[in-house]
Every structure is written in structure tokens, then in C-alpha cells.
Amino acid sequence: MNIDGDFNYLGDMPIESIISLQTILPEIDWLANTMRQELFNVHQYTNTVIITEISDPIMWNGIDPWTVHIIDQNLYEIVYPIIKELENRFNSKIARSMLILLPAGKKIPTHPDSGHYLMSTHRCHLPIQTNPDVMFTVGETTINMKVGQGYEINNSFWHSVDNNGTTDRVH
């Protein structure tokens, strides 16, 4: 979504959910769904766990309401307070939620997002696990996102992520 600026700092997110997610990260099967990595070359080094999803985001026309499908009930129950916080903040509904792991030493190359769905939804990031050497760049701004803090990105601008650290990053 084309927001005012590169990033919109959203502030503190529900810490109980973040702590719960941190606890179960080692148990997650990060290789169960590789569709995103296969469809989008820029995400080839990431691992994705989908929590909620709409039926067909690529074909969403911006007019018809979407139906959200819960893909992982256990994760949904953990992130529900975060979902409600964001829905209240934006006076809207969450369409897609997922966990994205970027391994240590890997990058998401510079790219803009495109398509009606990606340009009409808020793109929010909430670090669950990170390190001081993860740099997220949007437009002309580079930041190190902090665990427990929410950030909206202007995904219509060129953006990238560099995990130059020795630990994985999970948003």
C-alpha cells in the first residue's frame, strides 16, 4: 500500500503473543509450504508458515469482500490478540497473516510489490525474532526493526531485507 513515507511505526504489539510465538519457533515445520518461495524468486531464501489466508489474493478485485480461512488454528489462537490490535487500528480486517523466516546470512533482494491486492492492503511487519544486523530498507530509509514493535511498510516503494547476523529473523 502506498502510505505516506517509507515506514509507519505502529508501536508496541501484544507481548504475550510474541513470547508465545518465540517459545514455539523451534517446533514449527518451516518447510511444509514452499509455494511462496517457488512463485516469487525474491523470497527464495525465506521460509513461510501461513496462519490465515484469503481464497485467491491475486484475483481479488478490491470490491468483493474476502473470506479469511484459518490455515493453522494453533498459531491463529496465539496471534489473535495481534490480529485484533491491527484490525482495530486500521478499522479493517486481516486478509493474510504468516510467519516469515529469513535465515542468518540471507537477503530478500530489492523489489517493489505490485498487483491490486498488494497495493490495497496494509503491509505490516512484527518482529518475533531478530538481531541487530537485520536491516530492512524501504525507499531511502533503512532500519533495524525491534522485537515487539509493529511497522507498516510502503511496499509500493523498492524494499529489501539483509540478515547480516548469525541468527535467523522471524516476522
Side-chain angles (χ1 to χ4, degrees):
M1 174 173 267
N2 190 1
I3 61 173
D4 187 25
D6 298 333
F7 290 93
N8 177 16
Y9 177 64
L10 302 175
D12 294 334
M13 293 289 130
I15 194 66
E16 300 81 15
S17 295
I18 295 160
I19 292 168
S20 294
L21 286 170
Q22 288 171 335
T23 302
I24 66 167
L25 287 179
E27 303 166 17
I28 292 176
D29 181 2
W30 291 102
L31 301 177
N33 183 335
T34 59
M35 181 180 65
R36 189 166 179 262
Q37 295 76 5
E38 293 166 7
L39 286 176
F40 306 105
N41 193 45
V42 296
H43 296 294
Q44 67 181 319
Y45 297 118
T46 64
N47 298 104
T48 304
V49 173
I50 298 171
I51 301 170
T52 61
E53 178 70 281
I54 63 173
S55 297
D56 194 348
I58 304 299
M59 298 306 294
W60 182 64
N61 62 16
I63 299 167
D64 297 326
W66 57 58
T67 301
V68 177
H69 305 281
I70 298 172
I71 307 302
D72 188 312
Q73 184 68 40
N74 182 47
L75 286 175
Y76 178 76
E77 290 172 12
I78 292 171
V79 303
Y80 182 76
I82 296 168
I83 288 173
K84 289 314 294 175
E85 170 74 24
L86 292 171
E87 287 180 342
N88 290 338
R89 186 170 300 217
F90 291 109
N91 193 28
S92 189
K93 290 290 185 188
I94 295 290
R96 178 191 294 165
S97 61
M98 60 184 78
L99 295 175
I100 309 285
L101 183 146
L102 180 62
K106 297 296 184 186
K107 301 173 186 287
I108 299 173
T110 304
H111 67 284
D113 291 343
S114 61
H116 184 74
Y117 171 79
L118 292 174
M119 293 298 98
S120 58
T121 56
H122 295 276
R123 298 298 305 270
C124 299
H125 282 257
L126 172 60
I128 305 302
Q129 174 182 298
T130 191
N131 66 69
D133 296 314
V134 174
M135 297 299 152
F136 203 128
T137 301
V138 176
E140 300 297 320
T141 307
T142 299
I143 65 173
N144 173 254
M145 295 181 175
K146 305 298 181 204
V147 169
Q149 304 293 300
Y151 304 83
E152 181 180 14
I153 70 164
N154 189 335
N155 62 315
S156 69
F157 291 174
W158 289 84
H159 56 281
S160 64
V161 182
D162 295 314
N163 184 353
N164 300 310
T166 58
T167 59
D168 297 341
R169 179 213 83 162
V170 178
H171 279 200

